[in-house]
Amino acid sequence: MVPILTVFLSSCRTQSGKFEFSEPSGTLKVQKGEKVTLRLNFPDPQIDSVVYSLDGEVLEVRTDTNSLDLDTDPYGYGNKTLSAKLYANGSQEIAYRDIQVVPVAPTAYSFEVLNVYPHDPAAFTQGLYYDNGTLYETTGRWGESTLRKVDLATGEVLERADMAGDEFGEGMTVVGDRMYVLTWENNRGHIYDKRNFKQLGSFDYQKSTKGWGLTHDGNRFIKSDGTSRLYFLDPENLTETGSIEVFDDNGSVDSINELEFIDGKVYANLYHGDRDEIVIINPETGVIEGKINFVGLYDGKRAPYDNEMNGIAYKPDTKTLLLTGKLWTKLYEVRLKER
C-alpha cells in the first residue's frame, strides 16, 4: 500500500536547462514529521506527466509543473531517494535527490558514581555481563583473548579460559547456562558452558562480517559490527533475521560497540578514542533516545588508543550500570539521571 502523501500546490516558474530537482538542493536532512518542498526545473513547460517516487514507491503522478510538499511523517527514519520521472514529447528523463529522515534530539543523561571496584589492568575488556554477584567478561587482542569469571567486589579472576591464538575476542552475553562470545574478524562466534567454559558449538556471521557487541532481549540476540546497524539473530541457530540502522538527530551513528539490553532498550558503547559515550537505542526503530557522556568517569592515566571505555553490565537488583574499559584499573557502578 502506497502511503498517503500530503500535497500542497504552488506555482513553479519553468527554466531552461537540465531536468533536475531545484529543491531540495543537495542531500537534505529533515526531522520526521516535517514537510519538504519538491520543486523541479523543467527545460520545457510542455509535459505529458511527471511521476514522483520515494525509494521506488510512487508518491504522486502529476501533469503540471507545480511544486509539491512531501509530508515525511508516514515514512521511516534513514536515507531515502526521491525520484521524478518526466514524460514529454515521446521521451523520458529522470531526476534524483537524496533526503535523510532523522528523529528528535536524544535525551541527555548525567550520572552518579555509587561504587568503584578494582579491575584487572591487563584485561582488554570487550564484553561484560553481571549475574548474581559475578561478572562474566571477555577480553581481546591476538593471542591474549580470554573468557573470565570475576568477583565483582574484589576484581579477582575466579576462572579463566584462553581463546584460540588466531582469534580476537569481542563482545558476549549470557543466556541461561550458556555464554555466547563473538570474535572480531574470524566471521564466527562461539557458545560455551558458563559453568566450566567448555565450548559447546559455534555459529557463523552473515551480512555482519565482523563481531563487536552482543546482547539478548529475551527473544532474540542483537549484534553490532562497528557500523551504524544492529543485527537480529535467531535465538536457536543465531542466523541473522534482519537488521536496523541506528540514527540520532544528526543522521546515522556508526562505531556501535559493546551492547547491553535494559528495560526494552539497547545500551551501546560508541567506539571513540576521544570521548566516553553510551547511547540508548530503541531496537524497534533504530532511534537513539538517550545519550550519556561519561567524561571524567575514569581518573586513571589514559593512552590515546586501546584504552577506550568498553563494557556495560546491568545490575537489576539496584537498577545500576557497571562500566569499565580496555586496560582500565577500575570498574564503576553508576546510576543515570536525566538532565
Side-chain angles (χ1 to χ4, degrees):
M1 179 178 178
V2 177
I4 296 173
L5 177 68
T6 304
V7 177
F8 301 87
L9 301 182
S10 65
S11 63
C12 177
R13 183 166 57 91
T14 299
Q15 302 176 3
S16 60
K18 182 181 178 181
F19 174 66
E20 61 185 353
F21 281 97
S22 57
E23 291 185 43
S25 59
T27 300
L28 177 71
K29 186 187 300 177
V30 58
Q31 196 172 99
K32 185 174 170 66
E34 288 186 37
K35 294 180 175 62
V36 180
T37 297
L38 309 182
R39 195 184 307 273
L40 290 162
N41 182 71
F42 292 91
D44 188 334
Q46 302 302 314
I47 71 169
D48 296 322
S49 64
V50 59
V51 180
Y52 294 87
S53 300
L54 184 68
D55 282 347
E57 291 192 30
V58 175
L59 299 174
E60 184 84 359
V61 179
R62 301 282 294 278
T63 57
D64 57 56
T65 61
N66 292 333
S67 66
L68 59 83
D69 282 355
L70 167 66
D71 184 356
T72 61
D73 191 58
Y75 305 97
Y77 299 99
N79 298 307
K80 304 184 182 302
T81 300
L82 288 165
S83 66
K85 183 176 285 188
L86 172 65
Y87 296 88
N89 302 317
S91 62
Q92 302 176 23
E93 292 186 68
I94 192 164
Y96 294 100
R97 184 67 74 222
D98 293 327
I99 66 169
Q100 191 177 69
V101 181
V102 299
V104 298
T107 300
Y109 291 86
S110 60
F111 62 92
E112 175 188 8
V113 177
L114 304 179
N115 291 295
V116 181
Y117 303 102
H119 181 252
D120 181 1
F124 196 78
T125 304
Q126 299 287 62
L128 199 65
Y129 188 89
Y130 174 83
D131 186 13
N132 294 319
T134 300
L135 286 172
Y136 291 88
E137 184 174 10
T138 48
T139 70
R141 287 187 162 172
W142 303 110
E144 301 177 17
S145 298
T146 64
L147 287 63
R148 300 173 177 216
K149 183 178 180 180
V150 180
D151 181 81
L152 171 62
T154 66
E156 178 186 358
V157 178
L158 305 174
E159 191 166 352
R160 166 179 166 156
D162 295 332
M163 297 180 68
D166 64 347
E167 292 183 330
F168 194 116
E170 281 284 348
M172 54 78 68
T173 192
V174 173
V175 181
D177 60 0
R178 295 187 172 192
M179 287 179 67
Y180 297 81
V181 180
L182 301 178
T183 65
W184 181 28
E185 294 184 317
N186 295 72
N187 201 38
R188 173 168 287 198
H190 302 301
I191 305 167
Y192 299 88
D193 188 320
K194 80 171 185 181
R195 296 165 296 187
N196 55 25
F197 293 166
K198 179 181 178 181
Q199 186 172 330
L200 303 175
S202 299
F203 57 95
D204 294 330
Y205 309 155
Q206 286 88 53
K207 291 184 178 179
S208 58
T209 57
K210 290 185 178 181
W212 283 47
L214 188 69
T215 190
H216 190 272
D217 69 359
N219 297 301
R220 60 188 176 178
F221 291 91
I222 304 174
K223 176 182 179 292
S224 65
D225 65 350
T227 67
S228 60
R229 303 200 74 82
L230 291 178
Y231 295 83
F232 306 114
L233 311 183
D234 183 276
E236 298 298 326
N237 56 29
L238 287 97
T239 57
E240 291 175 15
T241 59
S243 67
I244 195 166
E245 191 161 14
V246 177
F247 274 83
D248 66 7
D249 56 317
N250 292 310
S252 60
V253 175
D254 61 11
S255 301
I256 299 169
N257 202 5
E258 218 268 311
L259 308 177
E260 184 79 5
F261 188 81
I262 305 171
D263 294 335
K265 310 297 181 183
V266 174
Y267 287 60
N269 280 121
L270 297 185
Y271 182 64
H272 296 301
D274 61 342
R275 61 188 185 276
D276 297 331
E277 188 173 46
I278 287 176
V279 294
I280 304 171
I281 305 167
N282 183 323
E284 305 306 319
T285 64
V287 172
I288 291 179
E289 298 180 344
K291 281 189 178 183
I292 315 101
N293 185 343
F294 284 98
V295 62
L297 173 65
Y298 183 55
D299 58 1
K301 185 177 180 181
R302 295 289 291 272
Y305 59 88
D306 282 353
N307 213 185
E308 299 85 3
M309 176 187 235
N310 203 37
I312 310 169
Y314 182 57
K315 200 166 177 284
D317 53 333
T318 55
K319 297 187 181 299
T320 53
L321 298 181
L322 300 171
L323 308 173
T324 190
K326 301 174 182 180
L327 310 179
W328 285 20
T329 61
K330 299 176 183 179
L331 184 146
Y332 300 85
E333 182 175 2
V334 306
R335 178 172 288 124
L336 302 185
K337 301 184 292 182
E338 189 172 330
R339 290 187 186 273

